[in-house]
Amino acid sequence: MEQTFFEQIGEENIALLVNRFYDLVFEDKTISTLFKTDKALIKEKQRLFLTQFFGGPSLYSDVYGHPKMRARHMPHPIGMKEVEAWLSCMSQAISTLPIDEKVKQDMMKRLIPTAMFMANKD
């Protein structure tokens, strides 16, 4: 049986990914303004979500219910410029992880369509 991303990456690397990702996001001129609430809470929600998204325990759903990611992102104006900035930050953060290169590439392949689905404006 094939391992999930969560099993390949490990809980510690997901936490590391979230911290590195948001260090980049909070400095990014294109998308930093979309993250206005408590930064620690934003990071924690993302850690819970990515754990679940990558095949780990359903931590996000256990706390917040079904992710409904598109609906949760609708109040924020997200166009292709914002999607590309988000993906760039995520790609940079993933590239720093001490994991196999193929796993890094596969993670991005999984994240790209999800990020594109969040776009809600031209």
Side-chain angles (χ1 to χ4, degrees):
M1 189 164 143
E2 195 171 317
Q3 283 188 313
T4 65
F5 282 121
F6 179 77
E7 291 166 334
Q8 293 176 65
I9 301 163
E11 196 171 346
E12 306 79 23
N13 281 322
I14 288 187
L16 187 61
L17 171 61
V18 168
N19 283 322
R20 291 181 175 168
F21 171 69
Y22 279 106
D23 286 347
L24 296 166
V25 166
F26 294 146
E27 297 298 319
D28 188 284
K29 290 180 174 82
T30 303
I31 57 175
S32 61
T33 57
L34 298 174
F35 299 88
K36 298 175 180 145
T37 58
D38 181 285
K39 290 180 179 180
L41 179 61
I42 290 169
K43 286 182 176 186
E44 179 61 5
K45 283 183 172 181
Q46 183 72 287
R47 185 187 68 79
L48 298 177
F49 175 75
L50 287 178
T51 295
Q52 183 170 325
F53 181 78
F54 286 134
S58 61
L59 302 179
Y60 186 93
S61 292
D62 293 349
V63 176
Y64 298 102
H66 189 283
K68 301 180 204 160
M69 296 314 290
R70 184 153 168 83
R72 292 182 197 268
H73 286 79
M74 280 311 256
H76 311 287
I78 301 170
M80 287 314 298
K81 184 173 70 170
E82 289 79 13
V83 169
E84 289 169 6
W86 190 95
L87 286 168
S88 175
C89 291
M90 184 56 78
S91 178
Q92 289 175 66
I94 287 174
S95 75
T96 69
L97 295 178
I99 59 174
D100 184 79
E101 289 300 317
K102 171 102 171 77
V103 175
K104 292 177 186 181
Q105 292 169 7
D106 290 344
M107 287 170 67
M108 281 306 298
K109 284 181 190 169
R110 176 105 196 272
L111 287 163
I112 290 168
T114 304
M116 303 280 278
F117 188 63
M118 298 305 131
N120 58 31
K121 70 170 190 151
D122 293 332

